[in-house]
Amino acid sequence: MRIASSAMNAAYAQLQTTGQNIANASTPGYVRREVVLAESGSNDSSGWVGRGVDVTAVRRVYDQFLVRESVASRSAAAQDTARSDALTRLDTLFADSKSGLGAAFDDLVGAFTDVTARPSDPAARSTVLARAETFANRAARLDAQLLELRDAAQSRMQSEVSTANDTLDALAAINRRIIDSNGSGGQPNALLDQRDKLLGDLNKSLRANATFGTDGAITVTSQTGEPLVVAGNASKLMLTSDPLDASKRSISVVRGTGVTLAMDAGQIGGTLAGLMKFSNEDIDAARAQVGRITASVAGAFNAQQALGLDATGVAGQPMFAFGAPTAVGAAANVGNAQFGIAIADSKALKASDYEIGFDGTQYAVTRLSDGVVTNFASMPQTFDGLTLSVGSGAPAANDRYLVRSATTFASGARSLLTSQQRLATAMPVVTEAGASNGGDLRAASLDIASIGPTTAATVSITFTGPNTFSVSGVGTGNPTGLSYSPGMQLSFNGWTLKLDGSPVAGDTMRVSGTPNPAADNRNARLMQGLGDAALADGASIIGRYSELIGDIGSRNQSARSQGDMSQRLYDDAERARNEMSGVNLDEEAARLMQYQQAYQAAAKVMATANEMFRSLLDAAG
């Protein structure tokens, strides 16, 4: 009867455990249980005598290595997925080729076709102004949308930090309960399940390493070794601003003692790392490229406007305004230097911001887009189309400054011309060969470098022979006996004239003010030619815009491929873990029948023993 009773108890424990497995088959984090049995008996003079079976434990079917692999791969998958999803939204922002910045630039250049054909037509001029406004508005709106994507990513980062802190607190509480339960004997299986689930949830937010103690409690650390959970105590994560660039976010660990330690951005892992890379790197790269395009277009058209005359005969005013570069010192700076930043050449601008470091003797300027460092012994200096100077004060050793250049240009983009008459379609001067010239002297080209008070003054060129000439007029100094050769250039009053042909004595060429600027289309043709010109660091605007689209697409495709691969690795690791620790209902159903039969067999043994006992009593009277 003792043997039968122990067998029934064992079978009942197995039935109960199997029922628990079936009931929790869909419970998140549940680890399958199994009953551990041991034979009961003792040795006597005749040898080993069995006394039935003992239930020694109900254990979790668990492999610590598989759990480690699963939570580690979950962190990588979460990081890649978060960045891939964010980049997909960024890619969508640039997906419409008909309403993008490149299309707006094409429309602006195309509008000059009608102005070139009909420079005095108010409608054609107004169309150019409308297209200029469209381009500026799209640039500013695109920059604003990029900032909205960054803000959304940073808001999600804050949410992830809050979730991670809740998880850390829960892990610390579970640790305390596990430690307390050890005194009562047996494994706290439900608590251990909760512990592993919380560890997996934490690794979704950030990469965390766990060390399992003999008492079942875990010590959780970051990738850099910062303690996050020790016994029943949890640290806090905090989303902070970068000390140099307040627009960027970083993660710090706040210990219970109040000590705050910054975490290495490259080793955070999880969703936080993916969002941080998108917010701090991908968005700034896109903003810098959009900003360079905006500044290059604005700078080129403004410069060409300044070299022409509008319909009223006045020198052209700027067509566009855009954001100005700035320099901001780090919070820890000791010096009081105020840097001035000016655009020296819009065609040489890079798609990058800069960091200035001062070691006490020289300046190190780092281009943030590629890490190239240029050292300067003094200021001012001109590089990458910018002029950098110390406006006031002086830097101290180890001071750092952030130069916001390319990422600021698009934010302030707007069209400035409000009247179609202000479009400078004309050049300030015209050339005219003498009517009685006997040779084939001609003006091969006329270029304007600047417009000044004497630009429109009449200048006469008179040939005294086929190889000599003299010049007369305001601003020329009236030189005589100058030597002539075909293709030579003359520069006076802000213009440069290239002469060609074979003149004879008495031939003349005159440069004078444009008589009817409203009907002149020469400067408009030059503006139209900007469409194919190398305006942006050696490339055309459309070329740079295509480069921007390609860069975003490449980042998105790379992140998606990486995300797919890391997700497959996580799925494989989770599948391996589930194969060992998960509940298979078919297998549990088979075990249920097996344990039921065992219980029935034990009951049969019990009934047989009872019947034998009754027979013995009856035989004994």
Side-chain angles (χ1 to χ4, degrees):
M1 291 186 70
R2 186 185 305 114
I3 292 174
S5 176
S6 67
M8 289 183 68
N9 286 336
Y12 178 75
Q14 289 172 319
L15 285 169
Q16 193 174 33
T17 301
T18 303
Q20 183 74 357
N21 288 340
I22 294 173
N24 289 279
S26 300
T27 300
Y30 180 80
V31 174
R32 181 169 62 87
R33 318 279 203 263
E34 67 178 10
V35 178
V36 181
L37 303 178
E39 181 184 2
S40 177
S42 62
N43 284 308
D44 59 17
S45 59
S46 61
W48 177 263
V49 177
R51 297 287 188 268
V53 63
D54 290 331
V55 176
T56 61
V58 177
R59 70 181 180 189
R60 303 160 75 226
V61 183
Y62 175 81
D63 187 316
Q64 194 176 105
F65 173 77
L66 292 178
V67 172
R68 289 178 184 272
E69 187 177 9
S70 175
V71 297
S73 57
R74 183 176 188 180
S75 175
Q79 174 178 341
D80 295 333
T81 300
R83 181 166 179 249
S84 176
D85 290 345
L87 282 170
T88 297
R89 291 191 288 273
L90 178 61
D91 195 22
T92 302
L93 189 62
F94 290 87
D96 190 350
S97 60
K98 295 183 179 180
S99 61
L101 196 61
F105 177 74
D106 280 340
D107 290 343
L108 172 60
V109 173
F112 279 96
T113 302
D114 290 340
V115 172
T116 300
R118 303 185 304 278
S120 59
D121 184 355
R125 287 171 168 265
S126 297
T127 299
V128 171
L129 267 58
R131 299 289 170 78
E133 185 175 10
T134 298
F135 175 83
N137 290 343
R138 284 189 186 175
R141 178 55 185 158
L142 188 56
D143 187 73
Q145 288 174 313
L146 290 172
L147 290 177
E148 289 171 4
L149 288 178
R150 186 184 69 185
D151 291 344
Q154 292 179 351
S155 295
R156 189 179 169 195
M157 287 174 65
Q158 183 62 65
S159 177
E160 288 291 334
V161 166
S162 299
T163 299
N165 283 332
D166 291 342
T167 305
L168 291 173
D169 289 338
L171 278 170
I174 287 290
N175 268 354
R176 293 192 294 269
R177 294 175 63 188
I178 289 175
I179 294 171
D180 292 342
S181 69
N182 285 332
S184 60
Q187 279 194 342
N189 290 328
L191 294 178
L192 297 178
D193 285 354
Q194 294 177 44
R195 178 202 69 186
D196 291 346
K197 181 180 182 301
L198 288 171
L199 183 60
D201 292 343
L202 181 63
N203 271 271
K204 183 176 181 294
S205 295
L206 79 158
R207 180 72 176 94
N209 297 322
T211 302
F212 295 81
T214 56
D215 57 0
I218 60 172
T219 299
V220 182
T221 60
S222 70
Q223 280 286 77
T224 54
E226 298 299 330
L228 301 177
V229 176
V230 179
N233 300 312
S235 298
K236 290 288 185 184
L237 300 180
M238 184 170 61
L239 191 66
T240 58
S241 297
D242 186 276
L244 181 62
D245 186 354
S247 69
K248 289 180 167 57
R249 297 291 180 266
S250 58
I251 304 295
S252 296
V253 179
V254 182
R255 294 182 181 175
T257 57
V259 177
T260 301
L261 298 171
M263 293 178 66
D264 185 354
Q267 295 181 326
I268 291 175
T271 300
L272 281 172
L275 293 174
M276 186 178 296
K277 186 174 180 64
F278 174 76
S279 171
N280 293 351
E281 298 179 21
D282 298 325
I283 288 293
D284 268 5
R287 289 189 69 208
Q289 292 184 75
V290 171
R292 176 174 63 178
I293 289 172
T294 303
S296 297
V297 170
F301 277 94
N302 287 351
Q304 199 59 54
Q305 270 278 117
L307 300 180
L309 300 181
D310 63 20
T312 66
V314 176
Q317 302 171 359
M319 284 183 67
F320 297 102
F322 55 95
T326 60
V328 181
N333 284 1
V334 177
N336 61 350
Q338 297 292 323
F339 283 87
I341 313 292
I343 296 178
D345 182 3
S346 65
K347 295 181 180 180
L349 294 172
K350 304 288 185 182
S352 179
D353 289 342
Y354 299 83
E355 179 181 337
I356 305 172
F358 184 67
D359 64 3
T361 58
Q362 67 176 359
Y363 300 89
V365 180
T366 303
R367 190 163 58 215
L368 298 180
S369 62
D370 55 14
V372 172
V373 179
T374 306
N375 294 312
F376 299 111
S378 62
M379 292 291 170
Q381 295 290 340
T382 298
F383 59 94
D384 292 352
L386 299 172
T387 297
L388 177 65
S389 61
V390 179
S392 63
N398 301 317
D399 280 359
R400 296 189 303 154
Y401 297 82
L402 174 68
V403 176
R404 280 286 190 189
S405 56
T407 56
T408 66
F409 295 149
S411 61
R414 68 183 190 277
S415 176
L416 296 178
L417 297 184
T418 57
S419 170
Q420 51 84 15
Q421 287 190 317
R422 297 305 176 192
L423 187 63
T425 61
M427 293 181 72
V429 294
V430 295
T431 60
E432 182 182 7
S436 60
N437 284 359
D440 60 354
L441 178 67
R442 65 184 182 278
S445 65
L446 177 65
D447 297 318
I448 308 299
S450 63
I451 296 180
T454 62
T455 299
T458 299
V459 174
S460 297
I461 303 168
T462 303
F463 280 80
T464 57
N467 300 314
T468 58
F469 65 95
S470 60
V471 180
S472 63
V474 176
T476 65
N478 301 320
T480 61
L482 299 177
S483 298
Y484 168 76
S485 61
M488 70 175 298
Q489 294 181 339
L490 294 176
S491 296
F492 297 106
N493 300 332
W495 49 259
T496 298
L497 174 64
K498 181 179 180 181
L499 295 174
D500 206 353
S502 300
V504 297
D507 284 358
T508 61
M509 179 70 69
R510 187 177 68 172
V511 179
S512 59
T514 301
N516 185 9
D520 187 3
N521 69 352
R522 289 174 297 160
N523 203 48
R525 288 205 306 267
L526 294 176
M527 288 188 178
Q528 185 178 9
L530 295 177
D532 297 322
L535 304 181
D537 193 22
S540 67
I541 295 300
I542 295 303
R544 289 302 182 193
Y545 189 72
S546 298
E547 182 181 293
L548 165 62
I549 299 300
D551 178 58
I552 293 174
S554 177
R555 288 171 185 259
N556 187 27
Q557 184 177 9
S558 176
R560 188 179 304 168
S561 299
Q562 187 69 26
D564 290 343
M565 182 176 66
S566 58
Q567 185 64 43
R568 284 196 298 271
L569 291 175
Y570 170 63
D571 292 341
D572 291 342
E574 189 68 3
R575 189 179 302 109
R577 188 190 70 82
N578 285 331
E579 286 177 356
M580 169 167 281
S581 301
V583 176
N584 186 310
L585 292 177
D586 291 336
E587 292 179 359
E588 296 301 317
R591 292 190 184 100
L592 197 64
M593 295 177 62
Q594 176 187 350
Y595 300 148
Q596 181 184 10
Q597 292 173 353
Y599 187 88
Q600 291 171 343
K604 185 65 175 177
V605 174
M606 176 70 76
T608 301
N610 186 56
E611 184 178 347
M612 291 175 63
F613 186 65
R614 287 179 180 276
S615 297
L616 180 61
L617 291 177
D618 290 343

